[in-house]
């Protein structure tokens, strides 16, 4: 399942997209963990078949701005990028 076509494509090309992924290191780690957990849950429960990883990616991308807000600490107007 890990080396299937859509999962490999999403993890290599779409998950690492710099526009939609979070900026901080902690937020990126949490983002990847959310994607991995959701993809595993959707693929093992056979939700949408092969397209389950795209649903997991959409949910993770939906949460990316919130992760940036939660994990970025601002001190004196300067954003901390971990």
């Amino acid at each position: 399942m890990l080396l299937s076509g859509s999962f490999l494509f999403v993890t290599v090309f779409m998950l690492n997209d710099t526009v939609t992924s979070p900026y901080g290191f902690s937020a990126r780690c949490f983002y990847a963990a959310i994607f991995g957990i959701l993809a595993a849950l959707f693929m093992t429960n056979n939700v949408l078949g092969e397209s389950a990883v795209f649903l997991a990616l959409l949910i993770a991308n939906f949460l990316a701005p919130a992760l940036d807000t939660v994990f970025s600490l601002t001190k004196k107007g300067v954003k901390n990028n971990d």
Side-chain angles (χ1 to χ4, degrees):
M1 285 170 59
L2 291 178
L3 296 177
S4 68
S6 64
F7 186 80
L8 195 59
F9 176 75
V10 168
T11 55
V12 171
F13 295 109
M14 297 178 78
L15 192 65
N16 298 324
D17 185 24
T18 57
V19 176
T20 59
S21 63
Y23 295 113
F25 180 73
S26 304
R28 285 184 196 168
C29 291
F30 201 71
Y31 173 75
I34 288 173
F35 170 76
I37 291 169
L38 288 175
L41 284 172
F42 293 158
M43 289 179 80
T44 56
N45 291 327
N46 203 12
V47 175
L48 294 176
E50 187 74 18
S51 301
V53 290
F54 294 109
L55 179 63
L57 180 69
L58 284 174
I59 293 171
N61 281 342
F62 178 73
L63 296 175
L67 291 175
D68 273 335
T69 305
V70 169
F71 286 106
S72 67
L73 301 174
T74 57
K75 294 181 182 178
K76 298 180 183 177
V78 178
K79 189 173 184 177
N80 183 11
N81 287 333
D82 295 343

